[in-house]
Amino acid sequence: MKKVTSMLLVLVMVLSLLTACGEQTEPTEAQGKTEAPTSAQSGETAAPTEQAGKAPEDYKGTLRVWSVWAEDDGATLWIDKFHEIYPNIELEFHKFSNNGDGNLALDTALTAGEVDVLMNFGIARVDARAQAGLLYDLTDFLAADGLDSVENWGLEDNIGGKIVAIPMGGNNDHIIINKDMWDAAGLGEVPTSWTLDEYYEAARKMTKTAADGMVEVYGCSNFHSIYYAALLARGYLGDNYYFNEDGTASTDQQVWKDAFEPNYNAEMVEKIQYPLIKYRDDGIQAYAPFYEGKVAMSSMTNAMTRRIANTDEYQFDFDITYAPIPTLYKDQETNYCEGIYYFTHLSIAQDCPDPELAWQFVKWFSTDGSVYFSNTGHMPTWKSVDRSAIVSVLFGSEEEAEKLIDVEAYKRVVLNYDAPTYVEYNTTASSKLGGTLNSWIMEMMRGNISIEDGFAEMKKEMDQEIAEALAQ
Amino acid sequence: MQTKKIGTINEQKRRDTITAWLFLAPTLISFGAFVVFPVFFSAFLSFTQWDFISGISSIKFVGIRNFVKMFQDEEVINALKNTFIYTVTIVPISLCVSLVVAYMLNDKVHFKKTIRMMFFIPYISNTVALATVFKGLFRSDGPINMVLRDLGVSELPQWFSDPNLAKLPIIILAIWTGIGYQMLIYLAALQDVPTELYEAAEIDGASPLKRFLKVTIPLISPSTFYLLVVRTIAVFKLFSSVKIMSGSSSERISTTLVLEIYRAAFGEYEFGYASAMSWVLFAIILMVTLVQMWGQKKWVHY
């Protein structure tokens, strides 16, 4: 019996080693591969779309779409509009959260061949999936349909001269303002451009402190996902803001400290900014203190607009207006935070059994149908999108929008398609750099380390992460 | 005639063996697939670099690099330190509290069953739910801080971001949830202590404290040893409560080795590195258990 058990264990071990070390065999049909698909890594070419002689209604089948928005979150509109053109393509939405666990679920489904179309959030995700050969090469589809990626989305390529993901959705960072509080503080006209000093001056005036010293209303808030200190730094640095020209971490540049120190003072010394520690420790969403009237203005992305438009769940009992993210320096010529940066990238899975069918949806949703994507609060990036229709898609009509927000300011600040923005072309260790930035920011905020030493340690750790990523 | 009988017996034995194997097969297959294979595969992976999304062919042999990296990785060293802090605080405190509760409940007390149930409920409750409740209790504007404010504390503690406090809610939760089970084991052990021994000690003039120290403690030492071993292993594997309660601001302060393993594997897709960490954790737990086994000869009375 002992011998049999030992033999079994040895057999399992040997098999596992052999399986792991073995060459990858050619994909079989059972794995969901078709004759035409190509790998973004392999350098093969994709089969062109068979447009000739095929009407939209001739495309038949079901697509499994992995998205953070399902039918209940706005996808019903996309499905209805898509069916007006492609009545015979069924869209089956699978919802995932854009966090570590959600993306793990998506990656597992991708490797198991359970995905046809997917949304990638952030270029780092696109890069990782493309490197792993999980995304279908769209270059030939684009060429066959005469869609120039630069003309349509301002995109040259994703990876190695190929396009495996269309950056069809973007975000805009801005300051959302409680106009009632702004007016009550006698601040006059909301600026169309301003510096950080002017921003904090306004925050100072809007902060309300009770007799016992407790802050009742913070003048401002700057909890912005991982971009707490990065927001102003990237507004100054632009593309690849995490990196110096030599490829090392840019956090040794003075601009990072200049961006962080005012935040620290506003929060820890003056107490005019909603505490970052409170957001993080209590798991408070960025929108919540603004919605609850606990902050007078807050840095925000356009995703907030969906909440404002959702009057069933959220009732903002004050007027809302918008201002751009302030510049860090008075003489700063360009503010890269004003424009719309890529965020949502649409891809076809490499194992999709019918890439041509999937392309019909990807193409539609990245072009004509992209306007409907704005019902999520995110921005379509297609250059030819009907910008005036975005407000109507979100709010029903401009008149309805006027009841909730300052439409003129919204169009000028949030729908600022022509303003400069930044692109993260360099994705080296990108998933780690944000986490490292966050950790050291928190250490400095807690006073566990001086700002000088904190940034020195941050730089050291980031350089190490970059070097490790490059060595792999 | 004799040969025929032996043949029948052998045939019956063979059938019995086949039947036994068939009954065992479902368990053996699942044990092989979900325990044996992952164990050996993770041992193999610990010497490799692999992100699962690139497929099995992307596995790259890297020798002992993952193990070397681990001992240079400040996060892992920090996680290891935290794990030891949790162990040396949670295990003794929870055992002591459980013993006291069990000792009290072993006596004649009102609402014995109700009290026992109240202590046991946290043990059978979902840790995620409990951790969420605790997180709410220790929020910066949560009930605990509100009470402290009413008591006149001006600088309210930041429970999850103050390095001196961040582990405290996790430790309290782990102690609280463990009491129920440990109390039951101790109750059973206490009821097994012969009453004659107490009577004899009383006749000899031993005080209640002396009786507890000289009679009760030695006689329940096998239970204490069992609880010490299982509780130590459990605390070394502390995960869900830390994952829920340590916000992103306190990750570094309260993280554990298991959390780092999870992060490396499912956050960074560094399955080789995560496997190496798992084996180091296994080695540590094994070592600690062996030390406990060796030490028990000196203080456990069977």
Coordinates of all heavy atoms in Angstrom, one line a residue, chain A residues 1 4 9 12-13 16-17 19-22 24 100-101 103-104 107-108 111 128-129 132 134 214 277-278 280-282 284 431-432 439-440 442 446 448 461 468 472, chain B residues 21 36-37 40-41 44 49 51-54 56-57 59-60 65 69 75 135 139-141 149 158 160-163 243 247-250 252-253 262 266 268-270:
Chain A
M1 N 0.8 -1.2 0.0 CA 0.0 0.0 0.0 C 0.9 1.3 0.0 O 0.6 2.2 -0.8 CB -0.9 0.0 1.2 CG -1.9 1.1 1.3 SD -3.0 1.1 -0.1 CE -3.6 2.8 0.0
V4 N 2.3 1.7 -3.4 CA 1.3 2.2 -4.3 C 1.2 3.7 -4.1 O 1.2 4.5 -5.1 CB 0.0 1.5 -4.2 CG1 -1.1 2.2 -5.0 CG2 0.1 0.1 -4.5
L9 N 2.1 9.4 -5.8 CA 2.6 10.7 -5.5 C 3.7 11.1 -6.5 O 3.8 12.2 -7.0 CB 3.1 10.8 -4.1 CG 2.1 10.8 -3.0 CD1 2.7 10.7 -1.6 CD2 1.2 11.9 -3.1
V12 N 2.3 11.8 -9.9 CA 1.6 13.2 -9.9 C 2.7 14.3 -10.1 O 2.6 15.2 -10.9 CB 0.8 13.4 -8.7 CG1 0.3 14.9 -8.6 CG2 -0.5 12.5 -8.7
M13 N 3.8 14.1 -9.3 CA 4.8 15.1 -9.3 C 5.5 15.2 -10.7 O 5.7 16.2 -11.2 CB 5.8 14.8 -8.2 CG 6.8 15.9 -7.9 SD 7.7 15.6 -6.5 CE 8.8 14.3 -7.0
S16 N 3.2 16.7 -13.2 CA 3.1 18.2 -13.1 C 4.4 18.8 -13.6 O 4.3 19.9 -14.3 CB 2.9 18.6 -11.6 OG 4.0 18.3 -10.9
L17 N 5.5 18.2 -13.4 CA 6.8 18.9 -13.9 C 6.8 18.8 -15.4 O 7.1 19.8 -16.1 CB 8.0 18.1 -13.3 CG 8.2 18.3 -11.8 CD1 9.4 17.5 -11.4 CD2 8.5 19.7 -11.5
T19 N 4.3 18.5 -17.5 CA 3.3 19.4 -18.0 C 3.8 20.8 -18.0 O 3.6 21.6 -19.0 CB 2.0 19.4 -17.2 OG1 1.7 18.0 -16.9 CG2 0.8 20.0 -17.9
A20 N 4.4 21.2 -16.9 CA 4.8 22.6 -16.8 C 6.0 22.9 -17.8 O 6.1 24.0 -18.3 CB 5.2 22.9 -15.4
C21 N 6.9 21.9 -17.9 CA 8.1 22.2 -18.8 C 7.8 22.0 -20.2 O 8.6 22.4 -21.1 CB 9.2 21.3 -18.3 SG 9.8 21.6 -16.7
G22 N 6.8 21.3 -20.5 CA 6.5 20.9 -21.9 C 6.3 22.1 -22.8 O 5.9 23.2 -22.4
Q24 N 4.4 24.4 -25.5 CA 2.9 24.6 -25.7 C 2.6 24.0 -27.1 O 3.2 24.3 -28.0 CB 2.6 26.1 -25.6 CG 1.1 26.3 -25.5 CD 0.8 27.8 -25.5 OE1 1.6 28.6 -26.0 NE2 -0.3 28.1 -24.9
G100 N -8.4 44.4 -8.2 CA -7.6 43.2 -8.3 C -8.4 41.9 -8.5 O -8.1 41.1 -9.4
D101 N -9.4 41.7 -7.7 CA -10.1 40.5 -7.7 C -11.0 40.4 -9.0 O -11.1 39.3 -9.6 CB -11.1 40.4 -6.5 CG -10.3 40.2 -5.2 OD1 -9.1 39.8 -5.3 OD2 -10.9 40.5 -4.1
N103 N -10.4 41.8 -12.0 CA -9.5 41.6 -13.1 C -8.9 40.2 -13.1 O -8.7 39.6 -14.2 CB -8.4 42.6 -13.2 CG -8.9 43.9 -13.8 OD1 -9.2 44.0 -15.0 ND2 -9.1 45.0 -13.0
L104 N -8.7 39.6 -11.9 CA -8.3 38.2 -11.8 C -9.4 37.3 -12.4 O -9.1 36.4 -13.1 CB -8.0 37.9 -10.3 CG -7.7 36.4 -10.1 CD1 -6.3 36.0 -10.7 CD2 -7.7 36.1 -8.6
D107 N -9.2 37.7 -16.1 CA -8.1 37.0 -16.7 C -8.2 35.5 -16.7 O -7.8 34.8 -17.7 CB -6.8 37.4 -15.9 CG -6.3 38.8 -16.2 OD1 -6.6 39.3 -17.4 OD2 -5.7 39.5 -15.4
T108 N -8.9 35.0 -15.6 CA -9.1 33.6 -15.6 C -10.1 33.2 -16.7 O -9.9 32.2 -17.4 CB -9.7 33.2 -14.2 OG1 -8.9 33.7 -13.2 CG2 -9.8 31.7 -14.0
T111 N -8.3 33.2 -20.1 CA -7.4 32.1 -20.3 C -8.2 30.8 -20.5 O -7.8 29.9 -21.2 CB -6.4 31.8 -19.1 OG1 -7.2 31.8 -17.9 CG2 -5.4 32.9 -19.0
A128 N -0.3 44.1 -20.2 CA -0.1 42.7 -19.6 C -0.8 41.7 -20.4 O -0.3 40.6 -20.6 CB -0.6 42.8 -18.1
R129 N -2.0 42.0 -20.8 CA -2.8 41.0 -21.5 C -2.3 40.8 -22.9 O -2.3 39.7 -23.4 CB -4.3 41.4 -21.6 CG -5.0 41.2 -20.2 CD -6.4 41.8 -20.1 NE -6.8 41.6 -18.7 CZ -7.6 42.5 -18.1 NH1 -8.0 43.6 -18.7 NH2 -7.9 42.3 -16.8
A132 N 0.8 38.7 -22.8 CA 0.4 37.3 -22.6 C -0.3 36.6 -23.8 O -0.7 35.5 -23.8 CB -0.5 37.1 -21.4
L134 N -3.2 37.4 -25.0 CA -4.7 37.2 -24.8 C -5.6 38.1 -25.6 O -6.8 37.9 -25.6 CB -5.0 37.4 -23.3 CG -4.3 36.4 -22.3 CD1 -4.5 36.8 -20.9 CD2 -4.9 35.0 -22.5
M214 N -14.0 71.2 15.7 CA -14.3 70.2 14.6 C -14.6 70.9 13.3 O -15.4 71.8 13.3 CB -15.5 69.4 15.1 CG -15.2 68.5 16.3 SD -14.2 67.1 16.0 CE -15.3 66.1 15.1
I277 N -6.4 60.2 5.1 CA -6.4 59.0 6.0 C -7.8 58.6 6.2 O -8.1 57.4 6.3 CB -5.7 59.4 7.3 CG1 -4.2 59.5 7.0 CG2 -5.9 58.4 8.4 CD1 -3.4 60.1 8.2
K278 N -8.7 59.5 6.4 CA -10.2 59.2 6.6 C -10.8 58.5 5.4 O -11.5 57.5 5.6 CB -10.9 60.5 6.9 CG -12.2 60.4 7.7 CD -12.6 61.8 8.1 CE -14.1 61.8 8.4 NZ -14.5 61.0 9.5
R280 N -9.2 56.7 3.3 CA -8.6 55.3 3.1 C -9.0 54.4 4.3 O -9.4 53.3 4.0 CB -7.0 55.5 3.1 CG -6.5 56.2 1.9 CD -5.5 55.3 1.2 NE -4.9 56.0 0.1 CZ -5.2 55.8 -1.1 NH1 -6.1 55.0 -1.5 NH2 -4.5 56.5 -2.1
D281 N -8.9 54.9 5.5 CA -9.2 54.0 6.6 C -10.7 53.6 6.7 O -11.0 52.5 7.0 CB -8.8 54.7 8.0 CG -7.3 54.7 8.2 OD1 -6.6 54.1 7.4 OD2 -6.9 55.3 9.2
D282 N -11.5 54.6 6.4 CA -13.0 54.3 6.5 C -13.6 53.8 5.2 O -14.8 53.6 5.2 CB -13.7 55.6 7.0 CG -13.2 56.0 8.4 OD1 -12.5 55.2 9.0 OD2 -13.5 57.2 8.8
I284 N -14.1 55.4 2.4 CA -15.1 56.4 1.9 C -14.9 56.6 0.4 O -13.7 56.8 0.0 CB -15.0 57.7 2.7 CG1 -15.4 57.5 4.2 CG2 -15.9 58.8 2.1 CD1 -15.2 58.7 5.1
S431 N 1.8 48.8 -12.6 CA 0.9 48.4 -11.6 C 1.5 48.5 -10.2 O 0.8 48.7 -9.2 CB 0.5 46.9 -11.8 OG 1.6 46.1 -11.7
K432 N 2.8 48.5 -10.1 CA 3.4 48.6 -8.8 C 3.7 50.0 -8.4 O 3.7 50.4 -7.2 CB 4.7 47.8 -8.8 CG 4.5 46.3 -8.8 CD 5.8 45.6 -8.5 CE 5.5 44.1 -8.3 NZ 6.6 43.3 -8.1
S439 N 1.7 54.1 -0.8 CA 2.2 53.7 0.5 C 3.1 54.8 1.1 O 2.9 55.1 2.3 CB 3.1 52.4 0.3 OG 2.3 51.4 -0.1
W440 N 4.0 55.4 0.3 CA 4.9 56.4 0.9 C 4.1 57.7 1.2 O 4.5 58.4 2.2 CB 6.1 56.6 0.0 CG 7.0 55.5 0.1 CD1 7.3 54.5 -0.8 CD2 7.8 55.1 1.2 NE1 8.1 53.6 -0.4 CE2 8.5 53.9 0.9 CE3 8.0 55.6 2.5 CZ2 9.4 53.3 1.8 CZ3 8.8 55.0 3.4 CH2 9.5 53.8 3.0
M442 N 1.2 57.8 2.3 CA 0.5 57.6 3.6 C 1.5 57.7 4.7 O 1.2 58.2 5.8 CB -0.2 56.2 3.6 CG -1.4 56.1 2.7 SD -2.6 57.5 3.0 CE -3.0 57.2 4.7
R446 N 1.1 60.3 7.7 CA 1.1 59.9 9.1 C 2.2 60.5 10.0 O 2.2 60.3 11.2 CB 1.1 58.4 9.2 CG -0.2 57.7 8.9 CD -0.2 56.3 9.4 NE 0.7 55.5 8.6 CZ 0.4 54.7 7.7 NH1 -0.9 54.5 7.3 NH2 1.3 54.0 7.1
N448 N 5.3 59.5 9.8 CA 6.2 58.4 10.1 C 7.6 58.7 9.5 O 8.6 58.1 9.9 CB 5.7 57.1 9.7 CG 4.5 56.6 10.4 OD1 4.3 57.1 11.5 ND2 3.7 55.8 9.9
E461 N 12.6 52.7 -4.0 CA 11.7 51.5 -4.2 C 11.2 51.5 -5.7 O 11.2 50.4 -6.3 CB 10.6 51.6 -3.2 CG 9.9 50.3 -3.1 CD 8.8 50.3 -1.9 OE1 9.1 50.9 -0.9 OE2 7.8 49.7 -2.1
E468 N 13.5 45.6 -11.7 CA 13.0 44.2 -11.7 C 12.1 43.9 -12.9 O 12.2 42.8 -13.5 CB 12.3 44.0 -10.4 CG 13.2 43.6 -9.2 CD 12.4 43.5 -7.9 OE1 11.2 43.4 -7.9 OE2 13.1 43.6 -6.8
Q472 N 12.8 41.2 -16.2 CA 11.9 40.0 -16.4 C 11.7 39.7 -17.9 O 11.6 40.6 -18.7 CB 10.6 40.1 -15.7 CG 10.7 39.8 -14.2 CD 9.4 40.1 -13.5 OE1 8.4 40.3 -14.0 NE2 9.5 40.0 -12.1
Chain B
W21 N -11.4 0.1 -3.2 CA -10.7 1.1 -4.1 C -11.8 2.0 -4.8 O -11.6 3.2 -4.9 CB -9.8 0.5 -5.1 CG -8.4 0.2 -4.6 CD1 -7.9 -1.0 -4.3 CD2 -7.4 1.1 -4.2 NE1 -6.6 -0.9 -3.8 CE2 -6.3 0.4 -3.7 CE3 -7.4 2.5 -4.1 CZ2 -5.2 1.0 -3.2 CZ3 -6.2 3.1 -3.7 CH2 -5.1 2.4 -3.2
V36 N -2.8 17.0 -3.4 CA -1.4 16.5 -3.7 C -0.8 17.2 -4.9 O 0.3 17.7 -4.8 CB -1.5 15.0 -4.1 CG1 -0.2 14.4 -4.4 CG2 -2.1 14.2 -2.9
F37 N -1.6 17.3 -6.0 CA -1.1 18.0 -7.2 C -0.7 19.5 -6.9 O 0.4 19.9 -7.2 CB -2.1 18.0 -8.3 CG -1.6 18.8 -9.5 CD1 -0.6 18.3 -10.3 CD2 -2.2 20.0 -9.8 CE1 -0.2 19.1 -11.4 CE2 -1.8 20.7 -10.9 CZ -0.8 20.3 -11.7
F40 N 2.6 19.7 -4.8 CA 3.9 19.4 -5.6 C 4.1 20.5 -6.7 O 5.2 20.9 -7.0 CB 3.8 18.0 -6.2 CG 4.1 17.0 -5.2 CD1 3.1 16.2 -4.7 CD2 5.4 16.8 -4.7 CE1 3.3 15.2 -3.8 CE2 5.7 15.8 -3.8 CZ 4.6 15.0 -3.3
F41 N 3.0 20.9 -7.2 CA 3.1 22.0 -8.3 C 3.6 23.3 -7.7 O 4.4 23.9 -8.3 CB 1.7 22.2 -8.9 CG 1.8 23.0 -10.2 CD1 2.7 22.6 -11.2 CD2 1.0 24.1 -10.4 CE1 2.7 23.4 -12.4 CE2 1.0 24.8 -11.6 CZ 1.9 24.5 -12.6
F44 N 7.2 23.0 -7.1 CA 7.9 23.2 -8.4 C 7.9 24.7 -8.8 O 8.9 25.2 -9.2 CB 7.2 22.4 -9.5 CG 7.6 22.8 -10.9 CD1 8.8 22.5 -11.4 CD2 6.6 23.4 -11.7 CE1 9.1 22.9 -12.7 CE2 6.9 23.8 -13.0 CZ 8.2 23.5 -13.5
Q49 N 9.5 31.3 -12.4 CA 8.8 32.6 -12.6 C 7.6 32.4 -13.5 O 7.8 31.8 -14.6 CB 9.8 33.6 -13.2 CG 9.2 35.0 -13.3 CD 10.2 35.9 -14.1 OE1 11.3 36.0 -13.8 NE2 9.7 36.5 -15.2
D51 N 3.6 33.9 -14.6 CA 2.3 34.6 -14.5 C 1.3 33.7 -15.2 O 1.5 33.4 -16.4 CB 2.3 36.0 -15.1 CG 2.4 36.0 -16.6 OD1 2.8 35.0 -17.1 OD2 2.2 37.0 -17.2
F52 N 0.2 33.3 -14.6 CA -0.6 32.3 -15.2 C -1.2 32.7 -16.5 O -1.6 31.9 -17.4 CB -1.7 31.8 -14.2 CG -2.9 32.6 -14.2 CD1 -4.1 32.1 -14.8 CD2 -3.0 33.9 -13.6 CE1 -5.3 32.8 -14.8 CE2 -4.1 34.6 -13.6 CZ -5.3 34.1 -14.2
I53 N -1.4 34.0 -16.8 CA -2.1 34.4 -18.0 C -1.3 34.1 -19.3 O -1.9 34.1 -20.3 CB -2.5 35.9 -18.0 CG1 -1.4 36.8 -17.8 CG2 -3.6 36.2 -16.9 CD1 -1.7 38.3 -18.0
S54 N 0.0 33.9 -19.2 CA 0.8 33.7 -20.4 C 0.8 32.2 -20.7 O 1.5 31.8 -21.6 CB 2.2 34.2 -20.2 OG 2.2 35.5 -19.9
I56 N 1.1 27.9 -19.6 CA 2.1 27.0 -18.9 C 3.4 27.0 -19.6 O 4.5 26.8 -18.9 CB 1.5 25.6 -18.9 CG1 1.8 24.9 -17.6 CG2 1.8 24.7 -20.0 CD1 0.8 24.9 -16.5
S57 N 3.5 27.3 -20.9 CA 4.8 27.3 -21.6 C 5.7 28.5 -21.1 O 6.8 28.5 -21.4 CB 4.5 27.4 -23.1 OG 3.9 28.6 -23.4
I59 N 6.5 29.3 -18.1 CA 7.2 29.0 -16.9 C 8.7 29.0 -17.1 O 9.2 28.4 -18.0 CB 6.7 27.6 -16.3 CG1 5.2 27.7 -15.9 CG2 7.6 27.2 -15.1 CD1 4.7 26.4 -15.4
K60 N 9.4 29.8 -16.3 CA 10.8 30.0 -16.5 C 11.5 29.6 -15.2 O 11.2 30.1 -14.1 CB 11.1 31.4 -16.8 CG 12.4 31.7 -17.4 CD 12.4 33.2 -17.9 CE 13.6 33.9 -17.2 NZ 13.5 35.3 -17.4
R65 N 16.1 32.0 -6.8 CA 16.0 33.4 -6.8 C 14.8 33.9 -6.0 O 14.9 34.9 -5.3 CB 15.9 33.9 -8.3 CG 16.2 35.4 -8.4 CD 16.3 35.8 -9.9 NE 14.9 36.0 -10.4 CZ 14.7 36.3 -11.7 NH1 15.6 36.3 -12.5 NH2 13.4 36.5 -12.1
K69 N 15.1 36.5 -3.0 CA 14.3 37.8 -3.1 C 13.5 38.0 -1.9 O 13.4 39.1 -1.4 CB 13.4 37.7 -4.4 CG 12.6 39.0 -4.6 CD 11.7 38.8 -5.8 CE 10.7 39.9 -5.9 NZ 9.7 39.6 -7.0
E75 N 8.8 44.3 2.4 CA 7.4 44.0 2.7 C 7.2 42.6 3.3 O 6.4 42.5 4.2 CB 6.6 44.1 1.4 CG 6.8 45.4 0.6 CD 5.5 46.2 0.6 OE1 4.4 45.6 0.8 OE2 5.6 47.4 0.4
K135 N -14.6 46.9 11.6 CA -14.1 48.1 10.8 C -15.0 49.3 11.1 O -14.5 50.4 11.2 CB -14.0 47.7 9.3 CG -13.2 48.8 8.6 CD -12.8 48.3 7.2 CE -12.0 49.5 6.7 NZ -11.4 49.2 5.4
R139 N -13.9 52.9 13.0 CA -13.8 54.0 12.0 C -13.4 55.3 12.7 O -13.6 55.4 13.9 CB -15.2 54.2 11.4 CG -15.5 53.5 10.1 CD -16.9 53.7 9.8 NE -17.1 55.1 9.3 CZ -17.4 55.4 8.1 NH1 -17.6 54.5 7.2 NH2 -17.6 56.7 7.8
S140 N -12.9 56.2 12.0 CA -12.5 57.5 12.6 C -13.7 58.2 13.3 O -13.5 58.9 14.2 CB -11.8 58.4 11.6 OG -12.6 58.6 10.5
D141 N -14.9 58.0 12.6 CA -16.1 58.6 13.2 C -17.0 57.5 13.7 O -18.2 57.7 13.8 CB -16.8 59.5 12.3 CG -17.2 58.8 11.0 OD1 -16.8 57.6 10.8 OD2 -17.8 59.3 10.1
R149 N -14.7 60.5 22.4 CA -14.9 62.0 22.3 C -15.8 62.5 23.4 O -15.5 63.5 24.0 CB -15.5 62.3 20.9 CG -15.3 63.8 20.6 CD -15.8 64.1 19.2 NE -17.2 64.1 19.1 CZ -17.9 64.5 18.1 NH1 -17.3 64.9 17.0 NH2 -19.2 64.4 18.1
Q158 N -6.5 57.2 15.4 CA -6.7 56.7 14.1 C -6.4 55.2 14.1 O -5.2 54.8 13.9 CB -5.8 57.5 13.1 CG -6.0 59.0 13.0 CD -7.4 59.3 12.4 OE1 -7.9 58.6 11.6 NE2 -7.9 60.5 12.7
F160 N -6.7 52.6 12.3 CA -6.2 51.8 11.2 C -4.9 52.4 10.6 O -4.3 51.7 9.8 CB -7.3 51.6 10.2 CG -8.4 50.8 10.7 CD1 -9.7 51.4 10.8 CD2 -8.3 49.5 11.0 CE1 -10.7 50.6 11.3 CE2 -9.3 48.7 11.5 CZ -10.6 49.3 11.6
S161 N -4.6 53.6 10.9 CA -3.4 54.2 10.3 C -2.3 54.5 11.3 O -1.2 54.7 10.8 CB -3.8 55.4 9.4 OG -4.4 56.3 10.2
D162 N -2.6 54.5 12.5 CA -1.6 54.7 13.5 C -0.8 53.4 13.7 O -1.3 52.4 14.1 CB -2.2 55.2 14.9 CG -1.2 55.6 15.9 OD1 0.0 55.0 15.8 OD2 -1.5 56.4 16.8
P163 N 0.5 53.5 13.4 CA 1.3 52.2 13.5 C 1.2 51.5 14.9 O 1.4 50.3 15.0 CB 2.7 52.7 13.2 CG 2.6 54.0 12.6 CD 1.3 54.6 13.1
K243 N -7.4 41.3 5.7 CA -7.7 41.8 4.3 C -8.8 42.8 4.4 O -8.8 43.9 3.8 CB -8.1 40.6 3.5 CG -8.6 41.0 2.1 CD -7.6 40.7 1.0 CE -8.1 40.8 -0.4 NZ -8.2 42.1 -0.9
G247 N -7.1 48.9 5.7 CA -7.4 49.7 4.6 C -6.1 49.9 3.8 O -5.1 49.5 4.3
S248 N -6.2 50.6 2.7 CA -4.9 50.7 1.9 C -3.9 51.6 2.7 O -2.7 51.5 2.4 CB -5.3 51.4 0.6 OG -6.1 52.5 0.8
S249 N -4.4 52.3 3.7 CA -3.4 53.1 4.4 C -2.7 52.4 5.4 O -1.6 52.8 5.9 CB -4.2 54.3 5.1 OG -5.0 53.8 6.1
S250 N -3.2 51.2 5.8 CA -2.5 50.5 6.9 C -2.0 49.1 6.5 O -1.7 48.3 7.3 CB -3.5 50.3 8.1 OG -4.6 49.7 7.7
R252 N 0.7 48.2 5.1 CA 2.1 47.9 5.5 C 2.2 47.7 7.0 O 3.1 46.9 7.4 CB 3.0 49.1 5.1 CG 3.4 49.1 3.7 CD 4.4 50.1 3.3 NE 4.6 50.2 1.9 CZ 5.7 50.4 1.3 NH1 6.8 50.5 1.9 NH2 5.7 50.4 0.0
I253 N 1.3 48.3 7.8 CA 1.4 48.2 9.2 C 0.9 46.9 9.7 O 1.4 46.2 10.6 CB 0.6 49.3 9.9 CG1 1.0 50.7 9.3 CG2 0.9 49.3 11.4 CD1 0.0 51.8 9.7
Y262 N -1.0 36.1 -1.1 CA -2.2 36.4 -1.9 C -1.9 37.5 -2.9 O -2.3 37.4 -4.1 CB -3.4 36.7 -1.0 CG -4.6 37.2 -1.7 CD1 -5.5 36.3 -2.3 CD2 -4.9 38.6 -1.8 CE1 -6.6 36.7 -3.0 CE2 -6.0 39.0 -2.5 CZ -6.9 38.1 -3.1 OH -8.0 38.5 -3.8
F266 N -2.2 36.7 -6.7 CA -3.4 37.1 -7.4 C -3.5 38.6 -7.7 O -4.3 39.0 -8.5 CB -4.7 36.7 -6.6 CG -4.7 35.2 -6.4 CD1 -4.5 34.6 -5.2 CD2 -4.9 34.3 -7.5 CE1 -4.5 33.3 -5.0 CE2 -4.9 32.9 -7.3 CZ -4.7 32.4 -6.0
E268 N -0.3 40.5 -8.3 CA 0.9 40.7 -9.2 C 1.1 39.6 -10.2 O 2.0 39.7 -11.0 CB 2.1 41.0 -8.4 CG 2.1 42.0 -7.3 CD 1.9 43.4 -7.9 OE1 2.3 43.6 -9.1 OE2 1.4 44.3 -7.2
Y269 N 0.4 38.5 -10.0 CA 0.5 37.3 -10.8 C 2.0 36.8 -10.8 O 2.5 36.2 -11.8 CB 0.2 37.6 -12.3 CG -1.3 37.9 -12.5 CD1 -1.8 38.4 -13.7 CD2 -2.2 37.7 -11.5 CE1 -3.1 38.7 -14.0 CE2 -3.6 38.0 -11.7 CZ -4.0 38.5 -12.9 OH -5.3 38.8 -13.1
E270 N 2.6 36.9 -9.6 CA 3.9 36.3 -9.4 C 3.7 35.0 -8.7 O 4.0 34.9 -7.5 CB 4.8 37.2 -8.6 CG 5.2 38.5 -9.4 CD 6.0 39.5 -8.5 OE1 6.3 39.2 -7.4 OE2 6.3 40.5 -9.1

